[in-house]
Amino acid sequence: MKRRYLLVDDNHAFAENVAEILSDAGAEVTCAADGEGALEAVSKSRFDAMVTDMKMPGVSGSELLRRVRERDPGLPVVLVSAYTRNEQLAEARQLGLLAFFAKTSGPAELLALLSHARRDAMVLAATEDEARVEQVRETLSRLGITVCSGSGEVPPICKPRAILADGESRWASLFPSVPVFSLRDPVETIGTRLDSLCAASAA
Amino acid sequence: MFELFRELQRYVNFTEKDEVVLRGIPEEVHQHFPEIAELFYARVLEFEPGRAALARGEKHVGQLKGTLVRWMKELITGPWDETYVERRARIGRVHVQIALPQHYMVSAMNLVRVHLRDRVCRALGPGTDACSEAETSLEKICDIDLALMLHTYREDLESSQVRAERLATFGQLVGSIGHELRNPLGVIETSLFVLKGRATEDEKTKRHLDRIGQQVALANDIITQLLSLIRDRPLDRGRIDFAALIRDAMSESPKVSLKLPPTLGVQGDATQLRQVIVNLTQNAVWFATDRGTVELTLREEEGHAVLWVDDSGPGIDPTVRNRLFEPLVTTRPAGIGLGLALVKRIVERHGGTVSAGRSPLGGARFEVRLPGGAP
């Protein structure tokens, strides 16, 4: 079956190009020029992943992500932005990103990543250690797994498959039936465990 | 500056009478000036910051002593006019330019004052009225001169504040432009991807597509450098072998000779420290040209890792020496002036220092000191 992607960007030329590249690769692509359009599309239809810009008129990428999580919590989201660092990005990471790309990083990696994106495959990384989260995210994104991260409040709309903690985490008690893995384990080990966990539940 | 001088004269009550008293100081005192200049520079050279400042200076200590002798002569004989003030200001600005710390200048000036007073009184007879009169006038003119010197430091501070404000505004502007440029670059990049995916046998088309790709990557690099300069990327600290990092970073630069210990450990961000090594070496290689030499020396000194990047080029242009590590300062025709600013920023965030001076190879030496030490 064809993979279905939602592409959100107010830069038409960029959106058209990416859509063309994804279609050439055999996917079906829906484009939206802003957050409102994207929310409408998400309400109507089910996608394998959403690719969104961050800075857009009206609803920003991170706000869009928050609202999308209310409608379709299991949707993998990739952020592609010209802005590689700002507060909104931190918020988006907390809400769960499959990956983040700079707009100039080229489409090859995006293509590969999207083809592996898994719906409803999210893990909560309970830590303030951003560098560690990024290491874990990098490995897990290649397996199609989305990481929500933070240390204070649980991201409100994240339904985790597992919790990754670097010590005692109060998040663990909030999700008693969810397995807890140690963030101190090698990234590859974490990846292998989660891969089989997600594969088992998908089957 | 002359206005300030006039104001200071009024403030310390330096009158024509003082001018007459100073001019009346016997000429035999002049023969002591070289010896006082010796004492002055001995004092300045006693401390590391003073030594470092003089090492940065264009002029040799011998020349500076000559200037000081002339300075003492003018102090006593005048005329105390605009030229006098201009010359004082120029000397003060040299101190600022070589970054001689203000307090060393003050204490060394005090030494001159004490010795001058002593020699003058010996000539006029200690305890005499003439001696005490001369002492008073000497104190006044020394106070004025010190104030002029300090004023040059203030001028420098004010202009660096103006520069800092300009840079802050500039930083915001660069941030927005840099980010916004990534949008069109992203479009070019993706269009290129589409075009490259379409099989073509035409060599010319292929060559130009590659060229577009290379230039887009270059543009993107410039933006990334600009952005990394204006933002605070957190350090990804770890224990790293600085010697191995240098060897690795220089593995494709066979013309750079390396004098490295087998290992030398520091705490730091490997990616960012590699940038320091690469930026400094790129400059050195450019200035040394194909005919010259570039040498990287690493050693441990008092718990610090000390890296020297030496080249046999023309040395540091004196017109930019003082602002070498500021953004957008460059003497390379194609340079954008971000490399050294980034080096300074990264090194300082590691708790280290970077400085520039003369190299025994004849060109420039950049010294990076990082806290760390043995692995």
Side-chain angles (χ1 to χ4, degrees), chain A residues 9 11 13-15 17-18 20-21 24 53 55 81-85 102-108 111 130-131 135, chain B residues 175-176 178-194 198 216 220 227 231-234 236:
Chain A
D9 203 311
N11 182 336
F14 186 77
N17 275 1
V18 176
E20 196 177 326
I21 291 165
D24 286 352
D53 187 16
K55 201 176 159 218
S81 174
Y83 286 77
T84 45
R85 197 175 174 80
K103 266 205 170 157
T104 42
S105 53
L111 265 178
E130 264 189 49
Q135 280 173 345
Chain B
S176 344
H179 283 123
E180 288 305 329
L181 277 177
R182 280 190 168 150
N183 277 312
L185 285 175
V187 176
I188 300 174
E189 184 93 44
T190 44
S191 283
L192 196 61
F193 185 86
V194 172
R198 304 177 82 82
V216 167
N220 197 32
L227 293 178
R231 79 171 183 218
D232 277 317
R233 190 168 54 172
D236 184 10

Side-chain angles (χ1 to χ4, degrees), chain B residues 334-356:
Chain B
I336 43 174
L338 294 175
L340 287 180
L342 196 56
V343 164
K344 180 171 160 58
R345 176 140 189 176
I346 295 173
V347 171
E348 286 180 352
R349 292 186 69 206
H350 279 81
T353 54
V354 58
S355 56

Side-chain angles (χ1 to χ4, degrees), chain B residues 1 53 89 91-106 109 145-161:
Chain B
M1 197 72 147
I91 297 173
R93 284 179 198 128
V94 169
H95 291 156
V96 172
Q97 202 185 16
I98 63 175
L100 177 70
Q102 197 170 314
H103 41 282
Y104 288 97
M105 188 273 293
V106 173
M109 284 272 284
D145 262 54
L146 180 60
L148 291 178
M149 295 286 175
L150 289 174
H151 187 75
T152 56
Y153 279 87
R154 193 177 139 181
E155 275 177 349
D156 180 61
L157 184 68
E158 281 168 358
S159 70
S160 62
Q161 272 166 353

Side-chain angles (χ1 to χ4, degrees), chain B residues 137-360:
Chain B
S137 300
L138 204 53
E139 288 291 345
K140 287 181 190 172
I141 192 67
C142 281
D143 281 346
I144 293 174
D145 262 54
L146 180 60
L148 291 178
M149 295 286 175
L150 289 174
H151 187 75
T152 56
Y153 279 87
R154 193 177 139 181
E155 275 177 349
D156 180 61
L157 184 68
E158 281 168 358
S159 70
S160 62
Q161 272 166 353
V162 170
R163 279 202 299 272
E165 280 163 24
R166 210 180 57 207
L167 280 174
T169 319
F170 176 77
Q172 285 170 355
L173 188 70
V174 164
S176 344
I177 295 174
H179 283 123
E180 288 305 329
L181 277 177
R182 280 190 168 150
N183 277 312
L185 285 175
V187 176
I188 300 174
E189 184 93 44
T190 44
S191 283
L192 196 61
F193 185 86
V194 172
L195 287 177
K196 280 188 167 180
R198 304 177 82 82
T200 172
E201 291 306 312
D202 182 13
E203 282 307 315
K204 198 166 177 168
T205 307
K206 276 190 201 164
R207 194 172 71 240
H208 283 281
L209 287 178
D210 283 344
R211 193 167 289 170
I212 294 172
Q214 285 156 9
Q215 298 303 309
V216 167
L218 178 66
N220 197 32
D221 275 355
I222 294 175
I223 293 173
T224 306
Q225 269 204 49
L226 272 168
L227 293 178
S228 49
L229 191 70
I230 59 168
R231 79 171 183 218
D232 277 317
R233 190 168 54 172
L235 290 182
D236 184 10
R237 269 181 194 276
R239 191 93 189 134
I240 51 174
D241 180 353
F242 202 30
L245 185 70
I246 294 170
R247 261 190 293 274
D248 190 50
M250 291 298 114
S251 59
E252 285 174 21
S253 312
K255 290 197 71 177
V256 176
S257 62
L258 303 178
K259 291 183 175 171
L260 312 173
T263 61
L264 183 53
V266 292
Q267 279 287 340
D269 182 321
T271 316
Q272 295 197 31
L273 287 178
R274 174 188 281 265
Q275 179 95 63
V276 168
I277 301 162
V278 169
N279 285 12
L280 289 177
T281 313
Q282 271 176 355
N283 278 348
V285 167
W286 194 89
F287 281 108
T289 72
D290 285 347
R291 298 181 300 280
T293 46
V294 174
E295 202 173 88
L296 265 60
T297 315
L298 179 69
R299 64 199 165 84
E300 202 205 333
E301 193 186 289
E302 295 164 359
H304 281 74
V306 180
L307 170 67
W308 285 340
V309 180
D310 286 295
D311 70 65
S312 61
I316 295 153
D317 184 337
T319 58
V320 297
R321 175 179 294 118
N322 215 17
R323 299 177 298 126
L324 205 54
F325 294 99
E326 286 181 15
L328 303 180
V329 172
T330 184
T331 53
R332 282 171 56 176
I336 43 174
L338 294 175
L340 287 180
L342 196 56
V343 164
K344 180 171 160 58
R345 176 140 189 176
I346 295 173
V347 171
E348 286 180 352
R349 292 186 69 206
H350 279 81
T353 54
V354 58
S355 56
R358 284 202 202 92
S359 164

